[in-house]
Amino acid sequence: MRYLLCLLFCLMAGIAQAAPANKAYMSIIIDDLGQSAERDNRTLALPGPVTMAIMPDTPHATDFARQAHKAGKTVILHMPMDPATGPYAWHPEVPLTELARRLDTALAKVPYAAGINNHMGSRMTAQRQPMAWLMGELQQRHLFFVDSRTSAATVAAAEAQAQGLAHVSRDVFLDDVRTTEAITRQFHQGIALASKQGSVVLIGHPYPQTLEVLERELPGLKRQGITLIGLNQMIAERSNQAMPAHGKHGRYSNR
């Protein structure tokens, strides 16, 4: 009996030692793609499920969307919103019928888009009526939404949550300061945040400095206890809940 108890204790201790620590997840989105074939290709070569956010009004938008999809990457439409300009941009004074037309034409330019995120949009994402309309439209199209959170006044994620639309919000911008030192600090901030709250969503751009940091840092994520996952998995992981920096008790503050 003593031998059996000892064996049972050893087995339980071994299981406890082998049990994984709390999981921490990271998703990365690279915005502003479609402008430069060289930068697009370098971004596409990043290891793991990095999401490609492609602008519709760029010379390589359609070709790169097809290329990224063929490579197994998640493609999303990087939708211009006020104060962005151009033929696809959403502005508060534009009627819904025209917003719908611009969304249709933008999605046609970026095939295989699984969702959208806002390019700029500090004014537009604060407009409740068009954001509510957009989330309903995305729900019908089976597309998800990523709130880039370019403004603290955004109601986009709150409207997505209210309608039960699959979505996430950005936690960390990588490259507001375009130096490798600053971007490295932001990346490590993302790692710390993922470890603290269980997940983190990073957004960066195809700047040479950003790509250099990601090429160097991504291969070492697993050693730091971080798993890089795609946006669909991140949406499932967060279950449409707001992170602590964006609201309370899982609900967005700008409701």
Side-chain angles (χ1 to χ4, degrees):
M1 178 64 73
R2 185 176 299 173
Y3 171 78
L4 290 175
L5 288 173
C6 182
L7 180 62
L8 180 61
F9 175 81
C10 291
L11 286 171
M12 291 178 67
I15 291 171
Q17 286 182 342
N22 291 335
K23 293 182 179 179
Y25 297 107
M26 175 183 289
S27 288
I28 298 175
I29 302 165
I30 302 298
D31 283 349
D32 294 0
L33 294 168
Q35 301 182 78
S36 160
E38 180 182 358
R39 293 193 304 176
D40 293 350
N41 288 332
R42 187 175 174 186
T43 304
L44 192 61
L46 290 171
V50 177
T51 295
M52 308 286 134
I54 302 173
M55 298 180 69
D57 49 349
T58 54
H60 307 291
T62 302
D63 288 342
F64 183 62
R66 290 178 176 141
Q67 182 184 355
H69 174 75
K70 186 176 181 180
K73 302 289 188 178
T74 297
V75 172
I76 63 175
L77 167 64
H78 193 38
M79 187 69 187
M81 295 187 185
D82 191 293
T85 58
Y88 303 96
W90 277 28
H91 295 269
E93 64 275 8
V94 175
L96 284 180
T97 53
E98 176 60 15
L99 295 182
R101 189 195 67 79
R102 294 183 185 190
L103 177 63
D104 284 338
T105 54
L107 285 168
K109 287 283 289 184
V110 183
Y112 302 109
I116 81 169
N117 74 332
N118 52 293
H119 169 60
M120 302 180 126
S122 55
R123 282 189 64 211
M124 194 67 215
T125 57
Q127 308 295 314
R128 195 167 296 278
Q129 181 188 14
M131 288 300 104
W133 178 89
L134 174 62
M135 302 315 157
E137 189 67 18
L138 296 180
Q139 188 80 279
Q140 292 183 28
R141 295 171 184 259
H142 306 290
L143 301 175
F144 61 72
F145 181 76
V146 179
D147 191 346
S148 301
R149 296 192 69 86
T150 54
S151 166
T154 178
V155 297
E159 289 300 327
Q161 187 180 58
Q163 297 191 41
L165 177 71
H167 76 282
V168 292
S169 286
R170 183 272 312 164
D171 298 295
V172 176
F173 274 128
L174 284 172
D175 45 22
D176 282 341
V177 179
R178 206 183 302 183
T179 67
T180 55
E181 294 79 12
I183 295 164
T184 300
R185 284 194 298 271
Q186 291 297 99
F187 188 82
H188 289 164
Q189 179 188 337
I191 291 175
L193 193 56
S195 299
K196 179 181 179 181
Q197 66 184 20
S199 66
V200 69
V201 176
L202 310 181
I203 290 182
H205 300 82
Y207 306 140
Q209 300 92 329
T210 305
L211 297 177
E212 178 186 335
V213 170
L214 293 177
E215 288 162 351
R216 183 184 71 234
E217 296 284 347
L218 288 181
L221 276 179
K222 280 195 173 181
R223 292 195 302 272
Q224 300 177 74
I226 308 295
T227 302
L228 187 65
I229 61 174
L231 277 181
N232 281 318
Q233 188 177 345
M234 180 62 74
I235 289 168
E237 179 67 24
R238 288 195 171 181
S239 301
N240 281 4
Q241 298 297 295
M243 292 294 100
H246 306 149
K248 292 182 179 180
H249 310 298
R251 310 302 293 176
Y252 291 96
S253 55
N254 293 346
R255 290 190 63 80

